[in-house]
């Protein structure tokens, strides 16, 4: 857009930021994010303009206000989890929803393929795994596969592998999202055929009560990692009013933050798989409690809390008040 139009659309907002103090740290952070976006746009299209110099100065002052008298090692970490990551989730909730829909479709496709082709599970999971699981089912312990390795090595191996899978799913967003679709396809088909295999053998309930102790967090994080990849792909495909290069950098940064934010979830999932899932004889109520707690956390932190936080920020932007929250 022309600089005059850009200035007319945003000048009132910039003057407000310059003259009125923020209502609290949340609004200050939201202002800084918005100003950096405006500055990036101005630097791209009006690099030598007074508007760009003005925005650079205003953004620098906002940055100083954020980090003034702040303990970086703790404050930045806390801010990331309390505000930055949830707000990113809220901003990209539709893109993340696309990842969930695709993964669900691929999971159903895997289950359907296993239902119509008895050899499909072996193609996906491998003969060695299927044969070992069949032996475990015959012995009356269908989930014994989770007891095959000692706790700590299993925890470390699974956690590292899951983080790697998530980062790959994110990085493949640079292929216009096609690689991320493939990553979700592989994992979804594997999950669907895996669960149908246990249904076919009459041990679906024991498998659900065991696998989803760690799978609730693990699968949710994989879906979110796919969403991070789609965030980056969207920046390439739909740059909006920004140049494609600027839009790609911003989207890649947002996607990377989303992917990195999943690391603790993978660590907890790996801990559960290495140390808890192996106890296949635990009471049903305990298994249900762990699965329910994990699901409740995912729903709260990645759906409910981001919406609440975004609504509060919008309310404060529309009606600034001296009260902090």
């Amino acid at each position: 857009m022309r600089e005059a139009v850009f200035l007319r659309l945003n000048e009132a907002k910039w003057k407000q930021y310059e003259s009125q103090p923020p209502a609290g740290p949340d609004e200050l952070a939201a202002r800084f994010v918005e100003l950096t976006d405006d500055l990036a746009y101005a630097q791209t299209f009006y690099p030598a303009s007074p508007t760009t110099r003005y925005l650079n100065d205003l953004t620098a002052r906002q940055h100083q206000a954020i980090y003034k008298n702040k303990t970086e090692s703790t404050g930045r970490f806390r801010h990331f989890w309390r505000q930055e990551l949830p707000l990113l989730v809220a901003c990209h909730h539709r893109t993340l929803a696309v990842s969930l829909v695709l993964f669900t479709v691929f999971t159903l496709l895997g289950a359907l393929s296993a239902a119509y082709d008895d050899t499909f599970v072996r193609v996906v999971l491998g003969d060695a795994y299927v044969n070992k699981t069949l032996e475990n089912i015959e012995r009356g312990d269908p989930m014994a596969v989770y007891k095959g390795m000692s706790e700590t090595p299993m925890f470390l191996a699974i956690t590292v592998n899951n983080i790697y899978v998530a980062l790959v799913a994110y990085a493949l967003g640079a292929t216009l999202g096609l690689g991320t679709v493939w990553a979700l396809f592989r994992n979804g088909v594997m999950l669907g055929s895996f669960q149908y295999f246990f249904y076919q053998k009459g041990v679906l309930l024991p498998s659900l009560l065991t696998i989803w102790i760690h799978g609730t967090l693990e699968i949710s994080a994989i879906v979110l990692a796919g969403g991070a990849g789609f965030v980056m792909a969207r920046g390439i495909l739909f740059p909006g009013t920004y140049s494609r290069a600027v839009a790609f950098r911003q989207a890649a940064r947002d996607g990377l933050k989303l992917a990195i934010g999943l690391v603790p979830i993978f660590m907890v999932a790996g801990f559960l798989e290495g140390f808890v899932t192996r106890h296949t004889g635990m009471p049903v109520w305990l298994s249900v409690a762990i699965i329910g707690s994990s699901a409740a956390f995912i729903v709260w932190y990645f759906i409910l809390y981001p919406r609440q936080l975004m609504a509060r920020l919008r309310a404060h932007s529309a009606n600034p008040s001296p009260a902090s929250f």
Side-chain angles (χ1 to χ4, degrees):
M1 73 179 73
R2 297 177 59 185
E3 184 178 358
V5 176
F6 178 68
L7 187 62
R8 185 172 66 250
L9 291 176
N10 295 285
E11 186 176 16
K13 175 185 67 178
W14 300 335
K15 293 298 183 183
Q16 177 188 344
Y17 290 174
E18 190 173 18
S19 60
Q20 297 181 11
D26 295 327
E27 185 180 342
L28 179 61
R31 287 184 178 186
F32 179 70
V33 171
E34 201 164 347
L35 283 172
T36 54
D37 288 344
D38 291 343
L39 177 61
Y41 185 87
Q43 287 175 332
T44 301
F45 295 100
Y46 330 114
S49 167
T51 301
T52 304
R53 291 194 296 272
Y54 168 76
L55 281 173
N56 185 67
D57 178 66
L58 182 58
T59 304
R61 278 182 277 161
Q62 295 289 317
H63 181 274
Q64 291 173 356
I66 288 176
Y67 291 97
K68 182 180 180 181
N69 298 324
K70 180 180 179 182
T71 304
E72 181 68 19
S73 58
T74 58
R76 180 68 181 87
F77 183 83
R78 184 171 59 251
H79 179 267
F80 178 78
W81 297 107
R82 288 187 58 191
Q83 296 184 30
E84 193 169 348
L85 182 58
L87 284 174
L88 280 175
V89 171
C91 290
H92 299 292
H93 68 279
R94 292 183 180 178
T95 304
L96 299 176
V98 170
S99 180
L100 175 60
V101 170
L102 286 175
F103 186 84
T104 302
V105 170
F106 295 149
T107 300
L108 294 174
L109 181 62
L112 188 64
S113 299
Y116 282 93
D117 186 352
D118 292 337
T119 65
F120 185 76
V121 174
R122 292 184 176 274
V123 172
V124 174
L125 301 178
D127 287 329
Y129 180 87
V130 172
N131 292 336
K132 182 64 175 178
T133 302
L134 288 173
E135 293 176 7
N136 293 333
I137 292 174
E138 291 176 2
R139 292 202 309 266
D141 192 2
M143 300 291 105
V145 67
Y146 292 103
K147 306 173 184 178
M149 187 186 298
S150 58
E151 289 92 337
T152 301
M154 186 175 182
F155 158 62
L156 293 175
I158 289 170
T159 301
V160 170
N161 178 73
N162 286 339
I163 292 173
Y164 170 77
V165 170
L167 291 177
V168 167
Y170 155 71
L172 288 174
T175 64
L176 305 182
L178 296 178
T180 301
V181 172
W182 171 247
L184 290 174
F185 174 80
R186 288 187 60 193
N187 285 278
V189 167
M190 185 180 297
L191 175 63
S193 59
F194 180 71
Q195 289 286 202
Y196 188 85
F197 171 68
F198 287 107
Y199 166 76
Q200 198 174 40
K201 300 304 176 183
V203 290
L204 177 62
L205 182 58
S207 74
L208 293 174
L209 292 174
T210 301
I211 295 166
W212 289 91
I213 288 175
H214 63 271
T216 303
L217 294 176
E218 182 180 302
I219 297 302
S220 299
I222 288 174
V223 172
L224 289 164
F230 289 142
V231 167
M232 177 160 60
R234 184 179 178 182
I236 304 172
L237 295 171
F238 308 106
T241 57
Y242 297 105
S243 69
R244 201 171 299 275
V246 170
F248 171 70
R249 286 197 299 271
Q250 292 178 347
R253 178 193 60 195
D254 287 354
L256 181 59
K257 288 179 180 179
L258 288 169
I260 291 176
L262 300 173
V263 170
I265 296 176
F266 281 123
M267 292 178 67
V268 175
F271 174 84
L272 290 173
E273 188 167 359
F275 289 90
V276 181
T277 302
R278 64 178 55 245
H279 300 292
T280 56
M282 74 170 59
V284 172
W285 68 265
L286 181 56
S287 178
V288 171
I290 296 172
I291 295 170
S293 299
S294 299
F297 168 75
I298 293 296
V299 171
W300 173 74
Y301 189 76
F302 290 100
I303 299 177
L304 300 180
Y305 179 60
R307 291 181 177 180
Q308 293 171 358
L309 189 58
M310 182 63 76
R312 289 160 65 185
L313 284 175
R314 287 172 176 169
H316 273 259
S317 298
N319 186 25
S321 67
S324 180
F325 60 91

